[in-house]
Every structure is written in structure tokens, then in C-alpha cells.
Amino acid sequence: MAYKVLVVDDQFGIRVLLQEVLQREGYEIFQAPNGTTALEIVQREQPDLILLDMKIPGMDGLEILRNIRKLELDTKVIMMTAYGELDLIQEAMEMGALAHFTKPFDIDELRQAVKDQLQA
């Protein structure tokens, strides 16, 4: 069975790019443009890994991560941010985020990080 990966980002282009790259690796990809949709997909699909943007209008990445942790699922999370906000990244790591990437990220590094985390 394929690993399930959820991409949460308000930027359509980022979601499509990540879906194309990760589908080629054989993963089943889900997309969410906001926190509400992300949490619905997390509850329904229980993804193995979530690529989560920090800055999303409405419910931001930290709030989404907090809500995911309340569900007590063993879902791995990699944060993505366009900002060098170390305090937010630190807080996300304390809540169990495994890694973070600053946009613009190297797509090959991100693809490898996803593979490494899923196989860990």
C-alpha cells in the first residue's frame, strides 16, 4: 500500500508541484489549501506524513499542527516556511515536527527528506 502524504499550503502552485514530484515516487497525495480542509483530510485519511506550510491565512501552521496532535495520530510532519522565523520553527519542532524547509526549497532535498522520514 502506498504511503499517504498530505500537502498543506495556500499557494496552489506549491501544492501542484509537490503533488507531481511526490506522486512520481509512488505516494498517494492529498492537498489542502487551508487548516479546515487539512484537518478533515487528516481525520479521514490518516496520512503518514504532512508537508505543512507555516503561514496560511486563517488557521496558521502551528495551529493546524496543534490540532493534529490533539487527534493523537502518529503522523510525521515536515514544516515549510517562507520566513526565517526561528521561534515558530522551534515551537513546531517542540510539537513534534521532524524537519523544516525554507521556501524556495530545493525540491530534490525535500523529496529525499520525505522518503527518509517515511522509511525511518
Side-chain angles (χ1 to χ4, degrees), residues 2-119:
Y3 286 114
K4 295 179 181 181
V5 177
L6 170 60
V7 178
V8 185
D9 198 305
D10 60 315
Q11 294 180 297
F12 177 75
I14 300 263
R15 293 195 315 269
V16 169
L17 170 67
L18 290 171
Q19 176 163 350
E20 286 179 11
V21 169
L22 296 173
Q23 270 183 335
R24 273 189 240 132
E25 297 294 312
Y27 307 132
E28 185 177 358
I29 308 300
F30 300 89
Q31 292 184 32
N34 57 53
T36 304
T37 304
L39 292 172
E40 288 170 2
I41 293 171
V42 167
Q43 288 178 331
R44 185 179 69 239
E45 299 294 338
Q46 299 186 2
D48 301 291
L49 186 136
I50 301 171
L51 291 168
L52 179 57
D53 189 26
M54 283 278 209
K55 290 290 184 184
I56 297 177
M59 195 185 307
D60 70 14
L62 286 177
E63 193 176 343
I64 295 168
L65 182 55
R66 253 183 235 107
N67 282 296
I68 290 168
R69 292 301 175 227
K70 285 179 190 170
L71 298 172
E72 297 184 7
L73 300 173
D74 191 27
T75 301
K76 297 179 178 189
V77 177
I78 295 175
M79 301 301 291
M80 302 181 293
T81 181
Y83 307 90
E85 296 178 346
L86 294 176
D87 54 335
L88 292 178
I89 292 166
Q90 183 61 39
E91 191 174 342
M93 298 302 221
E94 288 170 7
M95 283 191 280
L98 300 167
H100 78 276
F101 283 84
T102 303
K103 295 176 185 175
F105 45 76
D106 180 314
I107 195 68
D108 290 323
E109 285 180 19
L110 186 65
R111 183 174 43 81
Q112 188 61 49
V114 167
K115 184 177 181 180
D116 292 347
Q117 291 299 339
L118 288 172
Q119 293 178 350

